[in-house]
């Protein structure tokens, strides 16, 4: 089956999504996925530790793409531009098309195990971008804030992108979400007129 | 063993942490935990679906406490006060003491499975607070931003709290983190002078 091995990862993804949709994620075995994809189980396990990871393939590549985008943003550009470049680059590197993304999103929503894995993916992306932005800005808190705003725009943008059929690319939708997120940030900052009401006793703002 | 059942959940937590620390999370069985805690496996499985959930007990209670705090914040208070009240209330409801929290944190860091579950806990708290704050503010984006800032303060505050031995309560540390987070937010808002550099073509700010 060596002639089939090119794009084995992509074929396993499409086959796994088909089988999960047909008979459920829990009921589908790696043997069934490998067989329908025309691959051996050995090949499958060489590429993925289990059936779940077939759906989350490419996570490390996305993280690398995002971190590289932070590093490539000119040093004199504002930090938000580096965060924007990161999530736009991640969106551009996203492999599945809109219809495929809808199907995968539906599968994840239906499985607690997959929802948990998806949350971990988001936290992994967040941690990596935060580290890169901290290195760039020298501020742990500013990096955290920038990362949260950008990553939320990425995920909200994903939801918008798969629920519409307009002509904008995924990354364009993400950047539009980010512009709206910045507007919310300006609005909130304008409402912050004093210390947080509460019990915090220390002042180091 | 009925006389032991009061605080069965707390005893299972302490016993599980002991056993995970002694022999590793993977190698520890629910039978061992139940036996050392002086409970039957039936009692354990009545309380928790598996050994992992013993460590994450109370998550639903924390979410309820946080959402209630949002609802109890006076309607004329700023939205950030509701977010602050939520994470302070969650910190006050946190059960484990500082030493116990350190041990649990160490166990989670050492296990990919537990790190994944911890990420899911954070996303569950985030989603619940965001829904409550959206209801309060009427704005999806403002609610998301407030939630991110507050939840990040909670988790960063947790890291500070377990790494120090000063007299501040966990919730006081969280509120101090939040004050610093607000300062970062003001700083970032001050740097936002125009649209995000990038490819977003739509303007709806």
């Amino acid at each position: 089956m060596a002639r089939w091995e090119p794009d084995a990862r992509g074929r396993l993804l499409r086959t796994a999504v088909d089988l999960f949709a047909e008979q459920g994620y829990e009921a589908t075995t790696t043997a069934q996925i490998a067989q329908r994809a025309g691959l051996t189980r050995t090949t499958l396990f060489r590429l993925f530790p289990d059936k779940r990871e077939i759906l989350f393939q490419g996570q490390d590549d996305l993280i690398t793409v995002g971190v590289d985008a932070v590093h490539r943003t000119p040093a004199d550009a504002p930090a938000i531009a580096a965060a924007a470049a990161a999530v736009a680059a991640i969106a551009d590197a996203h492999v599945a098309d809109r219809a495929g993304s809808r199907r995968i999103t539906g599968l994840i929503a239906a499985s607690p195990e997959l929802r948990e894995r998806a949350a971990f993916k988001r936290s992994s992306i967040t941690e990596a971008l935060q580290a890169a932005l901290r290195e760039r800005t020298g501020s742990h808190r500013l990096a955290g804030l920038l990362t949260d705003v950008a990553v939320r725009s990425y995920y909200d943008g994903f939801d918008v992108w798969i629920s519409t059929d307009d002509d904008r690319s995924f990354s364009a939708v993400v950047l539009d979400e980010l512009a709206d997120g910045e507007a919310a940030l300006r609005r909130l900052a304008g409402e912050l007129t004093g210390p947080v009401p509460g019990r915090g006793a220390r002042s180091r703002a």
Side-chain angles (χ1 to χ4, degrees), chain A:
Chain A
M1 302 201 182
R3 72 189 177 94
W4 287 107
E5 290 221 16
D7 194 33
R9 294 165 64 96
R11 240 149 20 90
L12 284 168
L13 174 61
R14 291 186 293 275
T15 306
V17 170
D18 284 344
L19 281 166
F20 294 160
E22 286 168 25
Q23 58 190 34
Y25 169 74
E26 296 293 344
T28 301
T29 65
T30 50
Q32 291 170 334
I33 298 168
Q35 185 180 26
R36 191 185 286 188
L39 296 164
T40 63
R41 282 186 80 220
T42 305
T43 299
L44 189 156
F45 284 123
R46 186 167 50 75
L47 296 169
F48 302 108
D50 52 45
K51 65 181 177 182
R52 193 182 67 159
E53 291 309 307
I54 299 172
L55 286 188
F56 292 95
Q57 62 180 269
Q59 173 180 314
D60 291 345
D61 294 337
L62 290 183
I63 288 174
T64 300
V65 158
V67 168
D68 284 351
V70 170
H71 291 152
R72 279 204 322 273
T73 303
D76 58 350
I80 188 82
V87 287
I90 292 173
D92 282 334
H94 182 83
V95 173
D97 60 12
R98 214 181 296 222
S101 297
R102 276 179 197 137
R103 295 185 74 197
I104 294 171
T105 300
L107 290 171
I108 291 173
S111 160
E113 182 184 333
L114 296 178
R115 286 205 305 274
E116 200 170 302
R117 180 64 182 81
F120 189 57
K121 179 177 176 177
R122 181 168 176 156
S123 81
S124 300
I125 293 172
T126 299
E127 282 178 22
L129 291 188
Q130 188 185 347
L133 287 165
R134 180 184 184 153
E135 196 184 319
R136 182 187 176 95
T137 64
S139 164
H140 172 72
R141 284 198 183 77
L142 190 60
L145 177 61
L146 283 165
T147 305
D148 285 342
V149 171
V151 170
R152 183 172 286 281
S153 300
Y154 178 82
Y155 278 91
D156 283 355
F158 181 80
D159 291 342
V160 170
W161 180 63
I162 64 169
S163 65
T164 58
D165 279 306
D166 69 22
D167 289 336
R168 286 182 296 161
S169 67
F170 178 18
S171 58
V173 176
V174 166
L175 290 174
D176 284 339
E177 287 294 317
L178 183 56
D180 291 346
E182 286 188 61
L185 199 145
R186 283 195 188 93
R187 175 179 157 193
L188 180 59
E191 291 171 1
L192 300 176
T193 54
V196 188
R199 284 153 298 170
R202 183 180 48 105
S203 169
R204 64 177 197 206

